[in-house]
Amino acid sequence: MDDNLSKKIQELQLLEQSIQNLLMQKQQIQIDLAESTNAHKEVSNTSGDVYKVLGGIMLKSEKNIVLKELDDKKRVLQLKIDALENQEDVINSKISQLRKEISSSGKQ
């Protein structure tokens, strides 16, 4: 195996690890987004007092403020997911290209 092929294989392995890390990050953010969506739904449907946790303590808050904070949080989380998906596409493209290069090198 030549040196160039070894480098490509190493790069492929690093990219595959990167994609796994991205997928784990994306999954965690999707969980956070689902929790925020559920919290938004619950706050929207409540007619009583609304509380939020801040620094380990629970504080009474205004419903419209909590809903706006949840909307903002959902927007930020969705932007993070979109950014991770863009990174995922770029890395997957590089992985695909490297696999083709490695495969063609192995046939020679």
Side-chain angles (χ1 to χ4, degrees):
M1 188 177 327
D2 69 351
D3 201 35
N4 190 30
L5 183 58
S6 293
K7 287 180 183 179
K8 286 181 182 181
I9 291 171
Q10 284 179 321
E11 185 179 355
L12 178 62
Q13 290 171 336
L14 288 174
L15 289 172
E16 288 174 341
Q17 287 174 349
S18 294
I19 204 81
Q20 289 300 317
N21 289 336
L22 280 177
L23 291 173
M24 287 190 300
Q25 288 177 30
K26 183 176 149 186
Q27 183 179 29
Q28 184 58 52
I29 293 171
Q30 287 171 328
I31 290 169
D32 292 345
L33 180 59
E35 288 174 353
S36 295
T37 300
N38 288 336
H40 189 281
K41 180 180 173 185
E42 291 299 322
V43 171
S44 294
N45 292 335
T46 190
S47 58
D49 292 335
V50 176
Y51 295 85
K52 65 180 179 179
V53 175
L54 185 65
I57 58 171
M58 192 175 295
L59 300 173
K60 187 174 181 180
S61 187
E62 292 183 35
K63 182 177 177 177
N64 61 340
I65 292 174
V66 172
L67 288 173
K68 181 176 180 342
E69 288 173 353
L70 288 168
D71 282 336
D72 291 345
K73 183 176 181 179
K74 286 169 34 179
R75 199 170 306 113
V76 167
L77 291 171
Q78 189 58 55
L79 287 171
K80 287 181 179 182
I81 289 171
D82 293 345
L84 288 173
E85 286 175 346
N86 288 338
Q87 287 179 332
E88 186 180 348
D89 290 343
V90 168
I91 292 173
N92 277 327
S93 176
K94 288 179 182 177
I95 287 173
S96 179
Q97 181 62 35
L98 271 174
R99 284 184 177 151
K100 287 178 187 174
E101 290 174 15
I102 291 169
S103 177
S104 66
S105 293
K107 293 177 182 176
Q108 295 175 355

